[in-house]
Amino acid sequence: MSLLVRTLFEAFGPSTLREFKRQCATPTATQQKLLIKMLSQNSDTEYGRINGFAAISNVREFQKRVPVVDYEELHPYIEKAMSGGARQLTRRQPNFYAVTSGTTGASKYIPVTPESQTVKSKLMRVWLSAVFRDHPGIFAGRILQVVSPDVEGRTASGVPFGAESGHAYRNMPGTMKKMYSVPYDTYEIKDYEAKYYTLLRLAAGDSVSAIASVNPSTALLLAKRLADHTEHILRDIRDGVLRTDLDVDPAIRRKLERHFRPDPERARKLERAARETGGKLLPKGAWPDMEIIACWKGGTVGQYLEQFDDYFPRGVATRDLGYLSSENRGSVPLTDEGDSGVLAIATNFYEFFPEDASGPPDGTDLLTAAELEVGRRYFIYVTTLGGLYRYDMNDIVEVTGHYQDTPLIRFVQKGKGVVSFTGEKLYETQVLAAAGKAFAGLPQRPEFIAAVGEMRGDRPRYLFLVEFDSPPGESEGTDLAGRLERALCESNIEYAAKRDSMRIGPPVLRVVRSGEFDAYRKRMVEQGRADGQFKVLRLTSDTSFAREFSSICDYAVDS
């Protein structure tokens, strides 16, 4: 690991944490100062002029003048900016668009500006400074991080779009790049098996002190692939090569070859480690001195964390990466305990609405960070330097305490109608659209459809509960399951990616008995649900919902 990087964190890490602590001591002042700065900077934009940014001098005026929005309401401005239109949402043009899945199946393009990149980088330094404070051995080896490819394409005006994680990884300073075990070019490999093999071959030849993957399912995927490819990886490390039968673009292969050198001593060491675990190389043998795994720890990922001791050094620390998404980086965990992080009050402006409120917000009744109560859950709305204003994240967070006077928050789940195990963010609208497409033109007419996300062994899957007017036969049921699989992949690019990498299992079509929906409705009304406003769940991760229905048969495609 670079001695310079360690020296920098030794010198500047404590002052970085002190500055963050100082900001957290005055959350109201810090938030209002940031908000007014953002509005002033962007007052002479199309959105700023329409909503009177120049006349806003405090939070309450902001809440009266500026509407709460979702992506579809900001999309016309984003679309104009992508076509070259100046000053739509921000004074400075976005230099990148982060692509993520949207509720309608079409991709969302989240604008990234130099200013928003800068504050996210500062927040990452806070996080790393806290990790280094608690785990100075993190710089004894390298970091194995998994990211998505940087550039998927370019807008009409030439601005790149793709995965922000890959964009940040590719463009980090040269000094920081020395901290990482895998060169960016590896993530440009299109074939999933070849990509994961290559990054593991590179990392296994090195000393790794930390693994960083947003979702812990990815860390487990790496562990299992390392075991599966033990023999080939050991041979490649010994000979200083990369398997020739891998589907790797020749140009990428040539770039990577400079990183390979014959290392028979390392290969022998790994071979001894593999013998101790039944001939399969595991991370605990390859990297016995690993300090930490950085990943999400909250939400629906608990079952993945329970498997870590089977693959990684026993007792290795895990630290949450914080509440983060393409839209914003919202919190900074400062310890290994739990999944809470300090609300990033100097990075974005935040508003909240109680999850248990009796009605929807009207815009003037959103709460600020200082008004939150410990133990309560809230929907969260963000205003960012990237040009999102009062943006509905459709996420639920819980307040777990305070750091100084700033709330500690933990991500609980996506909001209503969304389930996400591995980052796929499957929406209720996508489920219904996929089912409609899969069943279109068929003789079997579905009476009702609902999907349940569930863990099956060590990976999740989606169970489709369908009541038909005429149940399908065996061959028809299998065909319908295949249609659902294809339609889901077409409706959600992130779901498709997770299926390709086998982090999500194939969907299952469960045909329920005729009359089950009516029986369920009757039970719910008898238990006190309002008959006139009764609405059945169409997508949930509550597996008890599936047990409400008697089934005839399950149909699935091959995994």
Side-chain angles (χ1 to χ4, degrees):
M1 178 62 68
S2 169
L3 178 61
L4 175 60
V5 173
R6 182 185 181 93
T7 302
L8 287 172
F9 275 93
E10 287 176 339
F12 298 108
S15 61
T16 297
L17 291 172
R18 284 195 299 271
E19 172 63 13
F20 184 71
K21 184 176 182 179
R22 183 191 64 78
Q23 293 167 343
C24 292
T26 56
T28 299
T30 299
Q31 281 276 273
Q32 178 148 300
K33 180 181 177 181
L34 173 64
L35 175 64
I36 300 308
K37 177 183 177 181
M38 287 192 285
L39 298 179
S40 176
Q41 284 181 346
N42 299 308
S43 61
D44 190 25
T45 62
E46 184 71 16
Y47 200 77
R49 288 190 295 271
I50 289 172
N51 291 289
F53 283 7
I56 297 173
S57 60
N58 57 57
V59 172
R60 295 309 172 198
E61 289 179 2
F62 174 67
Q63 292 181 327
K64 289 178 182 178
R65 286 178 174 268
V66 182
V68 171
V69 298
D70 59 18
Y71 180 79
E72 296 308 316
E73 290 164 295
L74 291 183
H75 180 249
Y77 300 93
I78 295 172
E79 193 172 48
K80 287 179 183 177
M82 292 176 69
S83 298
R87 301 193 176 201
Q88 292 299 307
L89 292 168
T90 52
R91 179 176 60 83
R92 294 184 66 181
Q93 287 291 83
N95 57 0
F96 187 76
Y97 289 90
V99 181
T100 186
S101 176
T103 60
T104 62
S107 297
K108 295 190 295 186
Y109 294 84
I110 306 301
V112 178
T113 63
E115 290 82 4
S116 67
Q117 285 180 315
T118 297
V119 294
K120 284 184 178 180
S121 295
K122 287 182 178 178
L123 215 55
M124 188 62 188
R125 285 198 292 274
V126 174
W127 186 88
L128 278 171
S129 294
V131 171
F132 178 63
R133 175 198 62 199
D134 299 335
H135 304 282
I138 190 177
F139 293 147
R142 298 187 189 276
I143 299 171
L144 171 57
Q145 182 174 353
V146 180
V147 300
S148 299
D150 174 9
V151 178
E152 295 179 15
R154 292 184 178 273
T155 68
S157 59
V159 179
F161 59 81
E164 191 175 15
S165 62
H167 186 68
Y169 194 97
R170 186 178 197 175
N171 294 288
M172 73 174 71
T175 301
M176 296 292 288
K177 286 182 179 179
K178 295 178 182 179
M179 295 171 55
Y180 294 84
S181 62
V182 178
Y184 170 77
D185 298 293
T186 307
Y187 301 105
E188 293 281 4
I189 297 173
K190 297 187 182 303
D191 182 84
Y192 276 97
E193 291 298 329
K195 176 167 63 178
Y196 280 107
Y197 178 90
T198 303
L199 69 87
L200 285 167
R201 185 262 177 267
L202 285 157
D206 210 343
S207 174
V208 170
S209 54
I211 289 180
S213 65
V214 172
N215 200 295
S217 66
T218 304
L220 287 175
L221 175 67
L222 292 175
K224 294 171 183 178
R225 296 294 170 84
L226 182 64
D228 292 342
H229 298 301
T230 296
E231 182 179 346
H232 286 294
I233 287 175
L234 294 180
R235 184 184 305 128
D236 281 0
I237 290 173
R238 182 195 66 204
D239 298 339
V241 298
L242 180 67
R243 284 171 54 183
T244 57
D245 61 335
L246 295 176
D247 184 9
V248 178
D249 182 271
I252 295 176
R253 185 181 285 273
R254 285 192 295 271
K255 290 180 182 178
L256 294 177
E257 283 175 349
R258 70 187 69 166
H259 298 278
F260 301 132
R261 298 287 185 277
D263 194 345
E265 182 178 349
R266 175 67 176 168
R268 285 193 293 271
K269 183 177 180 179
L270 294 176
E271 187 175 6
R272 289 194 296 270
R275 282 201 295 268
E276 293 179 2
T277 48
K280 298 291 187 180
L281 183 61
L282 301 178
K284 65 175 70 177
W287 309 301
D289 299 322
M290 184 185 298
E291 284 275 325
I292 195 166
I293 299 173
C295 62
W296 281 333
K297 296 171 66 176
T300 57
V301 302
Q303 295 184 59
Y304 296 123
L305 298 172
E306 293 170 2
Q307 301 176 54
F308 274 13
D309 281 350
D310 295 337
Y311 297 94
F312 299 101
R314 186 167 294 276
V316 64
T318 57
R319 180 163 299 192
D320 199 280
L321 283 166
Y323 172 54
L324 57 89
S325 64
S326 299
E327 290 86 353
N328 89 114
R329 185 181 183 95
S331 74
V332 187
L334 297 178
T335 73
D336 298 338
E337 298 302 317
D339 58 344
S340 296
V342 185
L343 188 67
I345 56 170
T347 303
N348 307 298
F349 180 76
Y350 303 95
E351 298 172 272
F352 304 85
F353 191 70
E355 178 201 18
D356 57 0
S358 58
D362 64 14
T364 63
D365 53 356
L366 296 190
L367 305 175
T368 63
E371 298 174 298
L372 304 185
E373 298 177 30
V374 175
R376 293 195 68 182
R377 294 181 175 185
Y378 301 89
F379 288 96
I380 186 168
Y381 304 78
V382 300
T383 296
T384 75
L385 284 163
L388 305 180
Y389 303 99
R390 310 197 78 191
Y391 183 89
D392 182 359
M393 292 293 299
N394 196 29
D395 288 341
I396 297 172
V397 299
E398 180 180 355
V399 179
T400 61
H402 287 87
Y403 173 77
Q404 300 296 87
D405 285 334
T406 297
L408 289 165
I409 64 169
R410 60 180 288 268
F411 173 77
V412 176
Q413 65 179 56
K414 293 300 294 181
K416 299 174 181 177
V418 189
V419 173
S420 188
F421 288 92
T422 66
E424 70 274 17
K425 292 179 289 186
L426 190 64
Y427 289 83
E428 184 180 69
T429 52
Q430 293 173 337
V431 166
L432 297 178
K437 186 173 183 179
F439 302 149
L442 298 177
Q444 297 85 8
R445 184 172 63 85
E447 297 291 334
F448 96 98
I449 302 166
V452 179
E454 62 176 11
M455 290 298 298
R456 189 73 170 179
D458 60 358
R459 61 177 177 170
R461 71 177 187 182
Y462 286 88
L463 177 68
F464 278 75
L465 306 169
V466 185
E467 179 182 331
F468 291 96
D469 60 348
S470 174
E474 182 173 348
S475 61
E476 294 169 315
T478 302
D479 179 64
L480 286 175
R483 285 171 172 260
L484 272 174
E485 166 79 322
R486 291 188 292 273
L488 277 175
C489 289
E490 290 170 2
S491 71
N492 184 313
I493 56 174
E494 291 169 348
Y495 175 90
K498 303 306 186 295
R499 280 290 294 123
D500 283 343
S501 62
M502 293 186 289
R503 280 176 279 179
I504 294 179
V508 171
L509 172 64
R510 174 165 294 173
V511 180
V512 303
R513 296 186 183 280
S514 178
E516 282 294 289
F517 172 67
D518 283 342
Y520 172 75
R521 179 189 180 109
K522 180 181 178 181
R523 288 196 301 275
M524 294 301 102
V525 171
E526 288 174 346
Q527 292 171 19
R529 293 275 289 274
D531 191 22
Q533 298 177 348
F534 181 83
K535 183 178 183 295
V536 69
L537 292 169
R538 294 307 185 105
L539 176 62
T540 181
S541 57
D542 181 1
T543 54
S544 67
F545 180 71
R547 294 194 291 272
E548 294 281 351
F549 303 88
S550 297
S551 64
I552 298 174
C553 191
D554 285 0
Y555 300 101
V557 295
D558 293 335
S559 59

